[in-house]
Amino acid sequence: MKPNRRLFPSVLVLVMLAFTATVALAADPLPSWKDGPAKQAIVNFVAKVTKTGSPDFVPPDERIATFDNDGTLWAEQPMYFQLFFALDRVKELAPQHPEWKTKEPFASLLKGDVKGALAGGEHAILEIVMATHAGMTTQEFETIVANWIATAKHPRFKRPLTECVYQPMLELLAYLRGNGFKTFIVSGGGIEFMRPWTEKVYGIPPEQVVGSSIQTKYEMRQGKPVLVRLPKIDFIDDKAGKPVGINSHIGRRPVAAFGNSDGDRQMLEWTQGGGGARLLMLVHHDDAKREYAYGPESKIGTFSDALMAEAKTSGWTVISMKDDWKTVFAFEMKK
Amino acid sequence: MKPNRRLFPSVLVLVMLAFTATVALAADPLPSWKDGPAKQAIVNFVAKVTKTGSPDFVPPDERIATFDNDGTLWAEQPMYFQLFFALDRVKELAPQHPEWKTKEPFASLLKGDVKGALAGGEHAILEIVMATHAGMTTQEFETIVANWIATAKHPRFKRPLTECVYQPMLELLAYLRGNGFKTFIVSGGGIEFMRPWTEKVYGIPPEQVVGSSIQTKYEMRQGKPVLVRLPKIDFIDDKAGKPVGINSHIGRRPVAAFGNSDGDRQMLEWTQGGGGARLLMLVHHDDAKREYAYGPESKIGTFSDALMAEAKTSGWTVISMKDDWKTVFAFEMKK
C-alpha cells in the first residue's frame, strides 16, 4: 500500500488529542478535597469497582450512586431552602387570602415570625406546604420554582442558592459520572421543587431525581391535558422512605450513597445491605467559620450520636467539612 | 515533519472503521417494517428532531420515548402474561393454602377455570394479585419472577414469553436509542414483575420502567435490611394514571409515545400536549394469522372505536400489524 500523505494531518490531530487526554487524566479530579481518608476512600472505591477483572468490579449498568440533597449537595441552614420558597409564596399569595392575617400558621409567617409559625409542628408545616405547593398544574409549579430559584439568595452568604452548593460534591458527582456511574438525588425535599434546576446545577436530569411528592390528577382543561397538584401527600422520601423511594424509582440497589443526617441512615444501610464493594459517606457539618457547625442538637439535618456510632461500626466514612474540604461552596470558585 | 511509518497500521484501522460505520448507517435500521406510512412517520420524525438547526430539533436530554408493554412490546393474548404468572404461583402456593380448595377465586383457578375465577371482577383479580405478589421481600420476588420467566412458554406459539416480543418494536427501540433517545416502559403491568427481564429483552434498564405497584415497607430482618411487599395497592399505572406515572418517574414530557389500547389514550394525549414535533403511534392487532385480531370487543387491550376516531382527529399513526410488519415476533428471526 502506498502511504497517503493527506492522512498525516489527521494523524497529528489524533496524537495531540491522545496527549491532551493523558494530561487530563493525570490532573486531580477532586481538587477541592484535601488529601486524607475521605478522598482516599473515594478514589480507592472507584479504582476497584471500575477495574476489569477485579473481584470488586461492578458493571457500568449497576454503578448507581444516590445523593441526599439538603446538607449533602447544598446547604440547609439557617433553614431548608424549600422553606424559604414556601415563605416567599405565602407573602406573594397573602393578598388573595385576607383570612391569613388571623389564621395560624400564616399569621405568624406574615409577621416574619417563622419560629412561631412552626410551633404548630407537623400540622403547621403541612398547612404551609399545601397552601404554597398545591392547587396549580405541574407546568405552572415548574415555572413558579424556576422563577423563584433564579433570584433567591442566601441570607448569610448573599449568593444565589444554586451557588450555595458544595464544590467538593460537584467534583465528586462529575468524577463518578466520568467513571460510568449514574448519579441520583434521593431527598426528603419535594421532587418537583428540585427537578426544575438539578440538571443545570448538578448535571442530574429530572428522571434521576427522587423526592417527596404530593398527588397529581390528570385533567383536560380547555382541550389541553394538565396534571393538577392536589393538596394531598403522596410519598415522604425520608428515613425508612428512602429505600422505598430508591426501589420505586431506580429499581436496583445503589453501590454508593451519600448523606448527612439521621434521615439518610436507612439509605446507607440499604445500599450496604446489597453486599460487595460499597462507598458510604456522611457529610459532617463541623465548620462554623466557612459554613455551619451542627450535630445531635440540631432540628435540621440532625447528626445524632447514634448515627455517628453506626457510621463507626458499619465502616461508613464521615466527611469533616472543616478537615476534608479545601473549598466549601461553588461560589468561592467565582471570587 | 518526517512521516512516522509505525503510525500507518493505526491509520488503516481507522479507515476501515470509518468504512464499516458508513455501511452500517446505510443499512435499513427497521428491516422488519414494510415501507409505508407507519415506517415513514418514524423515519421522518427522527430525522427532523435530530437535525441541528431544524425548527423541530429536540436536544438529546429531552428525547424521551415511552412504550406501553402488553400488546405494544410483547403479546397480551390469550391473556396478560402476568396473569399466567399469577396462575402458576397459585398452583405452587396451593399446598400451603388448603382453604383455597373451597374459596373463590382460588377454587376455580385450581380447577383450571380461569373465566370462572375472573367472574368475581376487580375484587377477584385483587385477591389473586395480593396472594401471589405480596408477602415476600422485593429480592425474593425478583428471584421468583426471574425463575418463572426463564421457563414460561406461550400456549399457542410454544416459545418462551420473552421471545413473544415484537421484532419491529425491538428495532424501533434500538433505532430511537441510536438517535439519542432514552426509552421508557410505561405499563399497567407490575413494575417489579417487569424489571427483572426488561434490560435483557428490550435493553431498558430497571430505572426506566414505570408500572403499577404495591406498597413496600423497610424492615431489618436478622440484621439485614429488606423491603417487604405489602398486600396494598400503591399505584395503578393505567389510563389517566399513565401521565401521573410519567410525571412521577420521568419528570418531563415524552416527545414520542407508543401504545395499543384505550389504556394508552391519556399517555398519548399528554405527550402530544407538550407541543412541538411529536410521534404518537398505536399498534392495531389485526393479524389473526400471525398473532391475534381484536379490537373494540376485546376485554384485553381494547381498541375502541372512540380511540380510532381520536387517532384520526389527532394525527396519531395506527400501525397495522398485518400491513406494516414483515416480521411479527422476535422468535421468527431464530427459525
Side-chain angles (χ1 to χ4, degrees), chain A residues 167-305:
Chain A
Q167 179 62 26
M169 298 306 279
L170 293 183
E171 294 167 7
L172 176 56
L173 285 166
Y175 177 56
L176 289 174
R177 287 195 293 259
N179 281 283
F181 281 80
K182 231 176 177 172
T183 52
F184 287 81
I185 288 174
V186 177
S187 165
I191 190 167
E192 299 205 54
F193 173 74
M194 296 182 282
R195 281 172 164 169
W197 50 268
T198 55
E199 188 153 29
K200 210 154 103 186
V201 175
Y202 302 133
I204 297 180
E207 63 269 26
Q208 285 162 225
V209 176
V210 182
S212 297
S213 54
I214 61 177
Q215 291 181 23
T216 63
K217 187 175 176 292
Y218 181 79
E219 262 182 41
M220 277 287 174
R221 284 191 178 173
Q222 291 147 344
K224 280 258 176 194
V226 295
L227 285 170
V228 181
R229 292 171 57 80
L230 307 177
K232 278 183 207 164
I233 291 289
D234 177 50
F235 177 64
I236 302 291
D237 191 51
D238 197 31
K239 298 190 174 74
K242 290 206 174 190
V244 172
I246 288 170
N247 186 60
S248 163
H249 285 258
I250 311 178
R252 51 181 149 202
R253 226 186 270 235
V255 293
F258 306 86
N260 78 299
S261 80
D262 286 27
D264 301 310
R265 185 167 66 82
Q266 290 88 344
M267 173 167 76
L268 268 66
E269 288 172 354
W270 175 245
T271 301
Q272 188 164 40
R278 290 291 186 272
L279 179 62
L280 303 152
M281 304 187 92
L282 290 167
V283 175
H284 192 210
H285 295 262
D286 57 0
D287 192 336
K289 209 175 144 197
R290 295 186 299 173
E291 205 240 13
Y292 295 92
Y294 52 101
E297 82 300 343
S298 177
K299 284 197 175 169
I300 291 175
T302 313
F303 199 128
S304 69
D305 293 334

Side-chain angles (χ1 to χ4, degrees), chain B residues 137-169:
Chain B
T137 69
T138 52
Q139 211 166 346
E140 286 161 358
F141 187 69
E142 187 183 330
T143 305
I144 291 167
V145 172
N147 289 341
W148 178 82
I149 202 102
T151 58
K153 292 204 170 173
H154 193 278
R156 173 177 156 197
F157 303 114
K158 316 287 180 207
R159 289 282 183 161
L161 298 179
T162 49
E163 290 180 17
C164 295
V165 299
Y166 305 128
Q167 179 62 25
M169 297 307 278

Side-chain angles (χ1 to χ4, degrees), chain B residues 119-141:
Chain B
E122 209 170 288
H123 179 74
I125 292 175
L126 208 64
E127 278 233 52
I128 297 168
V129 168
M130 293 315 171
T132 55
H133 288 65
M136 69 292 278
T137 69
T138 52
Q139 211 166 346
E140 286 161 358
F141 187 69

Side-chain angles (χ1 to χ4, degrees), chain B residues 251-263:
Chain B
R252 50 182 150 202
R253 228 186 269 234
V255 293
F258 307 86
N260 77 300
S261 81
D262 287 28

Side-chain angles (χ1 to χ4, degrees), chain A:
Chain A
M1 183 194 161
K2 200 180 155 193
N4 180 344
R5 284 183 180 262
R6 274 182 298 182
L7 280 170
F8 279 105
S10 338
V11 171
L12 240 182
V13 168
L14 279 172
V15 172
M16 283 165 68
L17 278 175
F19 181 72
T20 318
T22 312
V23 171
L25 281 175
D28 183 355
L30 301 168
S32 297
W33 292 76
K34 290 188 200 165
D35 290 325
K39 183 172 184 170
Q40 210 50 57
I42 297 168
V43 174
N44 288 350
F45 170 76
V46 169
K48 67 183 174 185
V49 299
T50 56
K51 195 182 166 190
T52 321
S54 146
D56 295 313
F57 179 76
V58 175
D61 274 356
E62 294 169 24
R63 291 181 202 158
I64 304 285
T66 54
F67 290 81
D68 170 57
N69 185 40
D70 298 301
T72 299
L73 294 180
W74 75 355
E76 60 184 355
Q77 296 287 358
M79 62 182 178
Y80 293 129
F81 294 178
Q82 194 170 354
L83 201 47
F84 285 128
F85 168 76
L87 301 191
D88 285 347
R89 289 280 300 154
V90 165
K91 281 178 212 156
E92 204 178 315
L93 294 170
Q96 298 161 46
H97 294 274
E99 76 279 10
W100 285 357
K101 274 183 201 146
T102 53
K103 194 186 162 195
E104 289 300 346
F106 306 101
S108 293
L109 275 188
L110 290 172
K111 278 179 244 155
D113 178 12
V114 177
K115 215 175 148 187
L118 300 186
E122 210 170 287
H123 179 73
I125 291 174
L126 208 63
E127 279 233 53
I128 297 168
V129 168
M130 292 315 170
T132 55
H133 287 65
M136 68 293 279
T137 69
T138 51
Q139 211 166 347
E140 286 161 358
F141 187 70
E142 187 182 329
T143 305
I144 292 167
V145 171
N147 289 341
W148 178 82
I149 202 102
T151 58
K153 292 204 170 172
H154 193 279
R156 173 176 155 197
F157 303 114
K158 316 287 179 205
R159 289 284 183 161
L161 297 179
T162 49
E163 290 181 18
C164 296
V165 300
Y166 305 128
Q167 179 62 26
M169 298 306 279
L170 293 183
E171 294 167 7
L172 176 56
L173 285 166
Y175 177 56
L176 289 174
R177 287 195 293 259
N179 281 283
F181 281 80
K182 231 176 177 172
T183 52
F184 287 81
I185 288 174
V186 177
S187 165
I191 190 167
E192 299 205 54
F193 173 74
M194 296 182 282
R195 281 172 164 169
W197 50 268
T198 55
E199 188 153 29
K200 210 154 103 186
V201 175
Y202 302 133
I204 297 180
E207 63 269 26
Q208 285 162 225
V209 176
V210 182
S212 297
S213 54
I214 61 177
Q215 291 181 23
T216 63
K217 187 175 176 292
Y218 181 79
E219 262 182 41
M220 277 287 174
R221 284 191 178 173
Q222 291 147 344
K224 280 258 176 194
V226 295
L227 285 170
V228 181
R229 292 171 57 80
L230 307 177
K232 278 183 207 164
I233 291 289
D234 177 50
F235 177 64
I236 302 291
D237 191 51
D238 197 31
K239 298 190 174 74
K242 290 206 174 190
V244 172
I246 288 170
N247 186 60
S248 163
H249 285 258
I250 311 178
R252 51 181 149 202
R253 226 186 270 235
V255 293
F258 306 86
N260 78 299
S261 80
D262 286 27
D264 301 310
R265 185 167 66 82
Q266 290 88 344
M267 173 167 76
L268 268 66
E269 288 172 354
W270 175 245
T271 301
Q272 188 164 40
R278 290 291 186 272
L279 179 62
L280 303 152
M281 304 187 92
L282 290 167
V283 175
H284 192 210
H285 295 262
D286 57 0
D287 192 336
K289 209 175 144 197
R290 295 186 299 173
E291 205 240 13
Y292 295 92
Y294 52 101
E297 82 300 343
S298 177
K299 284 197 175 169
I300 291 175
T302 313
F303 199 128
S304 69
D305 293 334
L307 182 65
M308 191 61 94
E310 185 166 347
K312 271 198 187 126
T313 322
S314 303
W316 302 346
T317 304
V318 175
I319 300 163
S320 160
M321 192 171 270
K322 194 171 48 151
D323 299 331
D324 289 314
W325 288 359
K326 278 185 208 167
T327 306
V328 172
F329 285 116
F331 64 70
E332 296 173 37
M333 309 300 282
K334 294 200 171 183
K335 276 177 183 168

